[in-house]
Amino acid sequence: MKINWYYIVGTIFIILIFSSYFFYKLTFNIDNSSNVIATNSENKNNVSRQAANTIAYGLKNTKGEHIDNGSNIIPHNNIISVNVSIDHNLDENREYGLIVLEDFKQVPFKIENKQEFTKYFFNMSPNTSKYIKVTLPVNSNAREVIFLLIKKPNYKLKELDINRAVILEEVLSMRYSINQAAKDTDNVKEKEPDSIITDGLNENMFVTKHKEKLQAVFVEKEGNELTFSVGNDTELPMRYAIVALRDWEQNTIIKDQDVIYTTVPSGVRHIFNFNLPNVDNDTNFQLIALPFPYEVSKENYISQQAFGSFRIVIQNKD
């Protein structure tokens, strides 16, 4: 039997790449050799804000006081007014995008009480800081508000570059309770997974073509079916809210659902099949899994997180 050495070498290469990726993910929180710091009141004067190769981010109230990630924000007349604080301590120019979710639905907001946006892009020069005044109305019965910072929102990664892919998949999240009295989450309607797999590959969020293995997708044609995998490596069940962003606007995921809730038991991953949306030109697409929806707290660090899939460039079939 003739041995196909090209196939064997190629397979080993792919395995090595993704083995390195998972080790990289488990060991470091790196962005171009930089750390990402979600600031809190305990380190608001920390010299790490001045350290090289870091991104520090958080919220301040109108008095300039830091608002701890995971804490409660009290709206005034159903209006939230805050400053998004960013220290971009990197030796590069970079574009960022800001979006806001209320109860996991994308909502418009105003910058400097003037122009309204559903997504706000801005550039930062090397080693600079920025305060962005954000004002948004909230429903009186809303329970959670989420500020998401997207790195390089207009950058489209089409090649197999794991280092860049890891940088782009990370979404910087600031999550807050806005109605602590509304604690009941039992009425959240969950979607049953298409299948459940126990194989130890319990990434929080991963998009793939094959449910049996986590094989990344960077470029795909519109309308094609893919699979997303939501895993749980903790010892207790974990509920997620899952949203999709198409060109950084919220998009439906499965059968007109723009938010999917699922509770993943310990040590397994839930599998869902979905189809990519149609596009007119090359468009960025990303799925984001937000753990512990409506249960964000200062004490539970995971509840403050947002787990992004690898960013996918959707191409028009024409």
Side-chain angles (χ1 to χ4, degrees), residues 58-62 64 81-85 112 131-134:
L59 284 193
K60 293 182 181 291
N61 63 23
T62 54
S81 295
V82 291
N83 289 304
V84 176
S85 169
E112 302 295 336
Y131 290 91
I132 303 171
K133 184 177 181 180
V134 175

Side-chain angles (χ1 to χ4, degrees), residues 91-208:
D91 290 325
E92 65 172 75
N93 292 300
R94 176 178 284 186
E95 183 182 39
Y96 290 92
L98 172 66
I99 65 174
V100 180
L101 306 178
E102 178 194 300
D103 287 351
F104 308 99
K105 305 288 183 70
Q106 190 171 9
V107 292
F109 54 92
K110 287 185 177 181
I111 299 296
E112 302 295 336
N113 282 326
K114 296 178 182 177
Q115 188 174 355
E116 188 172 82
F117 297 88
T118 54
K119 54 184 179 181
Y120 176 65
F121 296 166
F122 58 95
N123 291 294
M124 295 194 70
S125 301
N127 303 303
T128 57
S129 299
K130 183 182 286 288
Y131 290 91
I132 303 171
K133 184 177 181 180
V134 175
T135 305
L136 67 145
V138 293
N139 292 318
S140 58
N141 60 350
R143 291 181 285 174
E144 184 172 338
V145 64
I146 303 167
F147 298 81
L148 297 178
L149 286 170
I150 312 297
K151 293 180 283 186
K152 302 182 180 181
N154 286 306
Y155 184 87
K156 296 177 175 64
L157 180 66
K158 298 182 181 180
E159 61 273 11
L160 181 60
D161 187 324
I162 297 300
N163 182 55
R164 290 184 182 180
V166 169
I167 291 171
L168 296 174
E169 80 168 331
E170 184 181 40
V171 177
L172 310 181
S173 60
M174 295 165 280
R175 296 176 57 183
Y176 304 90
S177 167
I178 55 175
N179 186 358
Q180 289 186 325
K183 291 292 186 181
D184 183 17
T185 60
D186 293 336
N187 59 353
V188 173
K189 185 178 180 180
E190 298 198 2
K191 182 171 179 58
E192 290 295 320
D194 293 308
S195 58
I196 299 174
I197 295 181
T198 305
D199 57 9
L201 301 177
N202 298 323
E203 276 289 287
N204 298 93
M205 167 55 69
F206 203 97
V207 175
T208 180

Side-chain angles (χ1 to χ4, degrees), residues 197-293:
I197 295 181
T198 305
D199 57 9
L201 301 177
N202 298 323
E203 276 289 287
N204 298 93
M205 167 55 69
F206 203 97
V207 175
T208 180
K209 290 185 177 181
H210 308 285
K211 67 179 183 180
E212 292 84 7
K213 53 186 176 181
L214 301 183
Q215 182 176 346
V217 179
F218 294 122
V219 181
E220 189 61 51
K221 295 294 185 181
E222 63 179 352
N224 285 359
E225 185 178 83
L226 294 175
T227 290
F228 68 84
S229 168
V230 190
N232 178 12
D233 249 345
T234 70
E235 296 180 355
L236 297 173
M238 187 181 298
R239 176 179 282 164
Y240 290 95
I242 300 156
V243 300
L245 298 175
R246 172 186 176 273
D247 195 23
W248 315 118
E249 298 276 359
Q250 190 164 9
N251 195 88
T252 56
I253 308 173
I254 301 172
K255 293 182 180 179
D256 297 327
Q257 293 179 272
D258 49 13
V259 184
I260 289 176
Y261 298 96
T262 187
T263 297
V264 184
S266 173
V268 306
R269 56 190 176 102
H270 281 184
I271 301 298
F272 298 88
N273 300 319
F274 74 105
N275 292 88
L276 290 173
N278 294 328
V279 297
D280 295 325
N281 43 49
D282 289 0
T283 301
N284 276 322
F285 179 85
Q286 188 172 29
L287 285 170
I288 299 175
L290 298 126
F292 299 103

